[in-house]
Amino acid sequence: MWVRALRVIPRISPEEWRKLDVISRWLVSTRAAVLIMTFISAAVAGLLAARAGMFSLWHWALLAVGLIFAHATNNLLNDLTDFERGVDKDNYFRTQYGPQPLEAGLMTRKELLVYAAVTGAIALAAGLPLVLERGPLAWGLLAAGAFFVLFYTWPLKYIGLGEVAVILVWGPLMIGGGYFVITGQWDWQVALLSLPYALGATTVIFGKHIDKLKEDRARRIYTLPVLLGEKAARLTAVGMIVLMYALVVFAVVRGDFSPWMLVTLAGLAYAPRPVGMLLRAKPAERPADYSAEIWPLWYVAGAFYHNRGFGMFFLLGLVLQFFLG
């Protein structure tokens, strides 16, 4: 179950849940499969610090643990907030991308609060040595992270700012801020170089919000896809995918990245499928060659598939850049 929960977000029956150990329950309830996006941001920050000759394994380890557990805390609090507001009641779509522990009766409110408190405490324990060492700017970054953890689900997601928050968090905050706590130096160039991967993470949340656009609109949750409309939102997501690669090429041309970073273009091999999905309306029924385990998730599955491939080649480019110049 540990391996399965890290690969996909499994659908669990109450009977299966009762047989799980506490770590498996934590992995399922935090939707651990998506935490890979946060790990990649931490890895990017570490590799950029290594390129600058200022990498510290201790600082990076604290950063990675802090970010991953902060993201996990956010996922738990998202479910709690949506449950309290009645968003997930009789919400067919929500059950398709993993169990809602409270709505499904897998956990009580008290149990979820305990999970969130312990997870948040681990994140804080990892982050506290960093902010104590790095000073006021680090405290500001920690406060910004706490703000997004606590207020992403409400009110930011409700007023079309959730997607903007994702760009800021997975880019300048995680990568730019991560670089700062590792090296002790803030670098605006690093913050800008974080944008290709930040856009990738944003395509995932965009795909998720397009998938549940009708449900969100009915519940008066005005995500950016709800405000834009489905077709415009799908085209916006395609534009973000194109921009991810364009920014990498631009950074190479400017000399901010070495030519080795062009290996990131190999991620284009993962692009035709999600782009083709985004250019068309979602089919009414599951295609014969589409996984029954994933259906009816559509746009979010395609975006996650692409972002994972892009992220791996983006990291490979950074590794090659570090070792080969």
Side-chain angles (χ1 to χ4, degrees), residues 253-265:
V253 172
R254 271 179 46 92
D256 299 325
F257 280 147
S258 83
W260 287 108
M261 282 301 295
L262 293 177
V263 74
T264 305
L265 298 180

Side-chain angles (χ1 to χ4, degrees), residues 17-53:
W17 177 266
R18 285 192 288 271
K19 297 176 183 178
L20 296 180
D21 61 276
V22 66
I23 295 178
S24 294
R25 292 184 180 188
W26 183 86
L27 291 170
V28 172
S29 60
T30 59
R31 303 193 290 281
V34 301
L35 300 182
I36 182 64
M37 296 193 301
T38 296
F39 175 79
I40 290 176
S41 284
V44 171
L47 286 167
L48 289 173
R51 182 182 74 163

Side-chain angles (χ1 to χ4, degrees), residues 47 214 293:
L47 286 167
K214 293 179 181 178
E293 187 177 5

Side-chain angles (χ1 to χ4, degrees), residues 7 33 125 145 156 164 178 188 213 250-251 270 301-302 305 324:
R7 288 182 56 252
L156 297 179
V164 176
W188 282 107
L213 188 150
F250 180 70
Y270 293 81
Y305 167 79
L324 302 179

Side-chain angles (χ1 to χ4, degrees), residues 245 264 266-267 270 304-314:
Y245 295 96
T264 305
Y270 293 81
F304 185 75
Y305 167 79
H306 168 259
N307 186 57
R308 184 168 55 185
F310 173 87
M312 290 299 104
F313 281 109
F314 192 71

Side-chain angles (χ1 to χ4, degrees), residues 47-235:
L47 286 167
L48 289 173
R51 182 182 74 163
M54 293 183 286
F55 180 76
S56 162
L57 180 60
W58 168 247
H59 290 85
W60 179 81
L62 289 175
L63 170 73
V65 171
L67 291 180
I68 290 170
F69 277 81
H71 185 183
T73 304
N74 175 256
N75 285 348
L76 290 166
L77 294 179
N78 282 352
D79 281 345
L80 176 62
T81 302
D82 285 342
F83 176 77
E84 296 288 357
R85 298 180 66 84
V87 171
D88 291 332
K89 186 175 180 60
D90 300 322
N91 188 340
Y92 173 71
F93 180 85
R94 172 62 182 84
T95 64
Q96 304 311 303
Y97 65 93
Q100 215 294 15
L102 292 173
E103 199 67 47
L106 304 180
M107 300 174 72
T108 65
R109 188 175 183 276
K110 181 179 179 180
E111 287 172 331
L112 188 139
L113 284 171
V114 169
Y115 271 54
V118 172
T119 305
I122 293 173
L124 189 60
L128 199 55
L130 297 174
V131 297
L132 289 174
E133 180 178 352
R134 298 306 187 196
L137 179 55
W139 281 106
L141 294 169
L142 179 65
F147 172 81
F148 287 118
V149 166
L150 294 172
F151 298 111
Y152 165 78
T153 302
W154 186 88
L156 297 179
K157 186 172 70 173
Y158 280 68
I159 55 176
L161 294 178
E163 295 80 9
V164 176
V166 170
I167 292 178
L168 293 175
V169 169
W170 266 267
L173 187 59
M174 285 191 184
I175 297 176
Y179 178 91
F180 168 73
V181 298
I182 294 171
T183 66
Q185 298 180 15
W186 177 263
D187 191 329
W188 282 107
Q189 183 190 46
V190 169
L192 292 174
L193 295 178
S194 72
L195 292 178
Y197 187 71
L199 285 169
T202 308
T203 62
V204 176
I205 202 70
F206 232 77
K208 173 183 172 182
H209 290 166
I210 298 171
D211 270 337
K212 63 192 191 82
L213 188 150
K214 293 179 181 178
E215 288 82 358
D216 280 344
R217 181 183 290 142
R219 290 167 170 77
R220 298 184 180 180
I221 302 173
Y222 298 109
T223 62
L224 205 50
V226 169
L227 296 175
L228 292 173
E230 182 184 315
K231 184 175 182 180
R234 289 192 281 109
L235 293 177

Side-chain angles (χ1 to χ4, degrees), residues 233-316:
R234 289 192 281 109
L235 293 177
T236 300
V238 172
M240 285 192 288
I241 291 174
V242 173
L243 188 57
M244 291 162 63
Y245 295 96
L247 286 174
V248 171
V249 173
F250 180 70
V252 171
V253 172
R254 271 179 46 92
D256 299 325
F257 280 147
S258 83
W260 287 108
M261 282 301 295
L262 293 177
V263 74
T264 305
L265 298 180
L268 286 168
Y270 293 81
R273 181 180 178 185
V275 169
M277 295 165 74
L278 286 163
L279 290 177
R280 299 187 300 271
K282 177 181 173 180
E285 298 181 357
R286 179 177 67 88
D289 60 346
Y290 196 80
S291 171
E293 187 177 5
I294 298 174
W295 180 261
L297 303 185
W298 187 252
Y299 300 115
V300 65
F304 185 75
Y305 167 79
H306 168 259
N307 186 57
R308 184 168 55 185
F310 173 87
M312 290 299 104
F313 281 109
F314 192 71
L315 285 178
L316 176 60

